Amino acid sequence: MGTSGAGDGAGYRILVDNGEYWLRNRGDIAMMVMTVQRLRERWPGARIGMLTDQPRVLRAVLPEAEPVFAAAGGHWGRSGLAGQVDALVGTKLVGPAALQWRAATEVPKHHLRGARKQVRDMLRGEREPEPAGIPELPPVPAAIRTASLVIAQGGGYMTDVDLYQAHRTLNLLEQAQRLGIPNVMLGQGLGPMQHPELVRRAEQVLPGVDLIALREGVRGPKLLAELGVPAESVLVTGDDAVEFSYRMRRPEIGADLGVCLRIADYSKVSDSARDTLGAVVRARAEEFDVALSPLIISEYDSEDRTYTLPLLAGAPRVRPVIGRGGSAADVARQVSRCRILVTSAYHLAVFALSQGIPAVAVTASQYYDDKFYGLADMFGAGLRIVHCDVDNLESELTRAVRELWESASELRDTLQQKAVEQIDAGRAGLERVFRLVPDTAE
């Protein structure tokens, strides 16, 4: 398996999969950062490879890992002195330049998708829509052949909503099992999962995973039991981004009202619900005499930016919005200056609760129901869930915002203690992972 057995992990090759190969979601990046930092603490001499389709950008946002370029076959980079030079040049020069160039030139992809769809529809004429299925997947990355450990890092991609990534990860884990390589899943949010082919593949692969650590205990354990995963292979640890954000907490309570609205294929929000949300947050900011803070966690298709910023029009005070090149830490620091926030993006709620900041979660899909109810179970009080399709949305949102605004101070210590418990659970789970890798090469 390519290990030398050194106590500092020298000779180990840890291959890490994730749900965000394009590095446009700061919540996913926060999970990557914590995963790599925790591994590096135990094995400072190991090679930690992160699968990505943006190898130059990864050098900038995650300098402690090396990019494994999935689209080019997924090979390890150069080793020895040449590899050290690659890492130095990448993290100091190439990576930051690539990140800034992308931030300055990126065009929202929905415009391009719309144009492609028009062309495709014209070529198809009046033919029936193509049946929903599994898109063609790339080969399993070549780097797995010399890996000492394979990790499917935290995320919400093992679901019908993301069939491509779910199957890609299952293929990777299955190949690790065939090669006898320890394989684990960390910080996972599973489901909804009803697609027949995905269920079939999950039943084949997941029972063979050495350890599955879940970010919530409401949906995941039951689903894994139905898929045949042994109970002794399952832990509930919390989200990997909890520790990342907890470190950004401030000693004093914030004063801003944070807001983020995401509308995507997997989270449909009606125009009327969107307008109601905007009216409520603007009215409450005026009532409390505070600033609204736009919080942008995802730059994919500008899905957060496009729908959040219009909500601020007419508000008396608005904080500057983060630039496209901003980091996950930048967003976590923005969150730390909020007293509460209103969000339809899961990881912003994680960022808030981990710092002791209550949140109103707005949901419009089963996918986000599962996320937010699982998160509420992990943190207890402090997360209020409001469904966009309720008849009295304005009054429900207004009541939730007011109540959390009043109780923010008293909830703070309890939420931070829940964060500490999850951090401890996550680290304890990793101890089990560390023991899977032999200390000596065979």
Side-chain angles (χ1 to χ4, degrees), residues 20 22 83 91 141 177 192-193 217 262 281 292 297 304 323 344 366 417 437:
E20 227 293 75
W22 288 94
T91 57
Q177 292 165 21
M193 189 184 295
R262 176 179 303 168
V281 295
L292 282 177
I297 198 84
D304 292 357
S344 66
Q366 182 66 48
Q417 180 56 40
V437 183

Side-chain angles (χ1 to χ4, degrees), residues 17-300:
D17 196 13
N18 65 87
E20 227 293 75
Y21 281 32
W22 288 94
L23 302 172
R24 289 190 174 92
N25 187 300
R26 297 180 180 95
D28 290 313
I29 291 171
M31 291 189 290
M32 295 179 193
V33 170
M34 284 315 310
T35 299
V36 172
Q37 285 186 5
R38 289 170 172 178
L39 292 171
R40 189 65 71 197
E41 288 172 8
R42 173 58 67 95
W43 292 319
R47 294 183 69 177
I48 302 174
M50 182 69 67
L51 285 163
T52 183
D53 283 332
Q54 293 279 292
R56 294 183 179 88
V57 174
L58 188 128
R59 289 290 195 188
V61 302
L62 195 57
E64 291 186 325
E66 63 177 278
V68 176
F69 192 5
H75 299 271
W76 293 98
R78 297 190 294 180
S79 59
L81 180 59
Q84 294 175 21
V85 172
D86 289 344
L88 181 63
V89 173
T91 57
K92 298 297 184 182
L93 297 174
V94 177
L99 181 61
Q100 292 304 315
W101 174 256
R102 187 176 76 172
T105 61
E106 192 165 45
V107 176
K109 302 298 184 296
H110 61 271
H111 297 303
L112 303 178
R113 284 181 175 169
R116 287 200 299 268
K117 183 178 184 301
Q118 288 180 354
V119 172
R120 189 168 61 247
D121 290 347
M122 284 190 297
L123 292 174
R124 274 213 214 125
E126 298 299 323
R127 284 186 289 170
E128 291 294 317
E130 296 175 356
I134 309 306
E136 184 178 352
L137 298 175
V140 172
I144 197 173
R145 291 195 291 267
T146 55
S148 313
L149 172 67
V150 172
I151 297 175
Q153 177 220 281
Y157 49 83
M158 196 58 62
T159 172
D160 297 336
V161 170
D162 197 354
L163 291 173
Y164 184 88
Q165 182 57 38
H167 281 273
R168 181 159 59 178
T169 298
L170 289 170
N171 287 353
L172 182 72
L173 293 169
E174 183 179 57
Q175 183 66 4
Q177 292 165 21
R178 288 174 177 167
L179 295 173
I181 299 169
N183 59 107
V184 300
M185 303 176 75
L186 303 178
Q188 291 291 322
L190 306 181
M193 189 184 295
Q194 297 179 337
H195 192 284
E197 179 62 14
L198 179 56
V199 172
R200 185 187 72 81
R201 289 290 289 136
E203 288 175 333
Q204 288 180 330
V205 177
L206 296 187
V209 177
D210 294 304
L211 177 69
I212 302 178
L214 299 171
R215 66 189 185 191
E216 54 80 32
V218 175
R219 309 286 190 185
K222 182 175 183 294
L223 176 56
L224 289 177
E226 293 170 352
L227 295 170
V229 177
E232 59 269 22
S233 299
V234 180
L235 290 176
V236 177
T237 59
D239 195 286
D240 295 332
V242 168
E243 183 171 359
F244 179 91
S245 187
Y246 178 77
R247 294 177 179 180
M248 302 292 177
R249 70 195 186 284
R250 294 157 63 97
E252 70 280 358
I253 194 167
D256 292 347
L257 173 55
V259 60
C260 175
L261 175 62
R262 176 179 303 168
I263 301 178
D265 291 341
Y266 53 88
S267 179
K268 299 290 188 182
V269 177
S270 68
D271 291 347
S272 62
R274 179 195 61 201
D275 294 344
T276 298
L277 175 60
V280 169
V281 295
R282 291 191 300 271
R284 299 294 71 77
E286 187 171 1
E287 175 186 344
F288 304 144
D289 191 23
V290 297
L292 282 177
S293 180
L295 303 170
I296 309 299
I297 198 84
S298 173
E299 298 290 355
Y300 182 79

